[in-house]
Amino acid sequence: MRHYRWGVPALVAAAGYGAVVAVAAAVAAARGDIGFLWRLTLFAEVNEDVTAVWPNALVLLAAGGLWGWALWQGLRGPVAGRPPVTDRGVLRLRVAFYATAGSWMACAVAPAWPWWAVVIDSLIMSALVVLFHPVLRRTVGFTGLALAAGLLSNTSTAAVEVFDVLDWREARRVADMPDLSALAGLIWTALVFLTQWRDGRWRRATVGYGIASLVAPLVLLLMAVPLEIAGISGGVHVSAITAADALSVIWLARSAHELTDPSASLAPVAPSGPPPAQASG
């Protein structure tokens, strides 16, 4: 059984949140008011047309359970024990992963951000792109593509916000390219998943959380009709998709934890060319 550096505080926080969610569900069932449970699990004001029926409450309970699991995964820290000797680049990358996880969590709790907060978030993500670059170069390659895609995805968002504040309309129009930015972000993320899969420091489950964070919203959208037939309001289903952000938080936090896992080790670098021929005789 693994022991984690901050396992006890993380367990207390996750269990406390889960208990409050359970109480909110009971209140919703008793009073017919789902507002508190909605705010507690989706971090937004409730849709007025949503009723406090059990199918809707179960969806919100599932969202709360996912966020409770994210609290545990994020706050528990790395595995207890002496961490391996690492250089400053690895330590900076770990900080960048933690900062990005915190930024994703803040975005979920407070979806509406001022322009300067969006810029800070973009800078944090850009730092992660740059600091992950040496790991990606060592393991996968495609370094130019990965760096360009990652920076394009994040700096374009910040540029749009800054140009909007400065009222530079033409510059904003050029920088506003959501489709290209989304594609670039997907390319960078896929290369990161591939790197983590091949690198010996990250567990398969961590990569699985990352992949699930991309797939889960699509699956939930495809399940809209069956869920409505089951009695779940469309407003609940659509809003609950945002809870998939918890999977991104888990992936980022675990990525940071496992960089200094005492049991982890780097995978050998794959040779760039064919193996040398053996001497005969």
Side-chain angles (χ1 to χ4, degrees), residues 40-91:
L40 195 61
T41 56
L42 301 184
F43 313 113
E45 291 300 320
V46 63
N47 292 347
E48 295 181 357
D49 59 341
V50 175
T51 56
V53 295
W54 270 112
N56 292 338
L58 287 175
V59 172
L60 298 181
L61 279 173
L66 190 56
W67 280 115
W69 185 244
L71 279 175
W72 159 250
Q73 290 285 326
L75 297 178
R76 62 174 172 76
V79 174
R82 177 175 293 181
V85 178
T86 54
D87 57 25
R88 290 184 179 180
V90 172
L91 296 178

Side-chain angles (χ1 to χ4, degrees), residues 15 21 27 35 38 41 44 60 80 83 101 111 119 132 135 142 150 168 176 184-185 189 198 211 222 224 247 266 275:
V21 169
V27 170
W38 185 290
T41 56
L60 298 181
V119 172
F132 195 83
V135 183
F142 303 104
W168 293 359
D176 190 11
T189 304
R198 293 182 177 179
I211 295 173
L222 294 175
L247 296 171
L266 281 170

Side-chain angles (χ1 to χ4, degrees), residues 55-265:
N56 292 338
L58 287 175
V59 172
L60 298 181
L61 279 173
L66 190 56
W67 280 115
W69 185 244
L71 279 175
W72 159 250
Q73 290 285 326
L75 297 178
R76 62 174 172 76
V79 174
R82 177 175 293 181
V85 178
T86 54
D87 57 25
R88 290 184 179 180
V90 172
L91 296 178
R92 289 169 181 165
L93 176 59
R94 183 186 177 201
V95 171
F97 268 122
Y98 279 135
T100 307
S103 181
W104 271 82
M105 189 73 183
C107 184
V109 175
W113 283 15
W115 70 270
W116 53 266
V118 176
V119 172
I120 292 175
D121 176 67
S122 298
L123 291 175
I124 292 173
M125 277 299 304
S126 297
L128 177 61
V129 170
V130 173
L131 291 170
F132 195 83
H133 188 64
V135 183
L136 193 146
R137 180 177 56 203
R138 175 187 180 276
T139 309
V140 176
F142 303 104
T143 53
L145 173 63
L147 187 62
L151 291 178
L152 173 63
S153 175
N154 295 289
T155 56
S156 62
T157 303
V160 168
E161 294 293 330
V162 172
F163 294 151
D164 192 39
V165 171
L166 297 175
D167 198 24
W168 293 359
R169 298 180 181 178
E170 188 62 27
R172 186 192 187 284
R173 186 185 64 80
V174 173
D176 190 11
M177 41 187 175
D179 294 337
L180 181 59
S181 178
L183 177 61
L186 183 61
I187 291 172
W188 180 80
T189 304
L191 290 174
V192 171
F193 291 160
L194 180 59
T195 300
Q196 290 184 317
W197 187 268
R198 293 182 177 179
D199 194 290
R201 289 171 291 187
W202 286 286
R203 293 187 173 90
R204 295 291 189 259
T206 298
V207 183
Y209 278 115
I211 295 173
S213 69
L214 299 181
V215 175
L218 300 177
V219 173
L220 291 173
L221 284 174
L222 294 175
M223 292 176 61
V225 174
L227 290 175
E228 287 194 27
I229 294 174
I232 297 171
S233 302
V236 174
H237 168 250
V238 172
S239 299
I241 292 176
T242 60
D245 288 344
L247 296 171
S248 297
V249 174
I250 294 172
W251 168 60
L252 291 163
R254 287 178 62 107
S255 295
H257 298 335
E258 292 168 8
L259 267 173
T260 55
D261 192 324
S263 62
S265 60

Side-chain angles (χ1 to χ4, degrees), residues 9-25:
L11 184 60
V12 171
Y17 173 76
V20 174
V21 169
V23 170

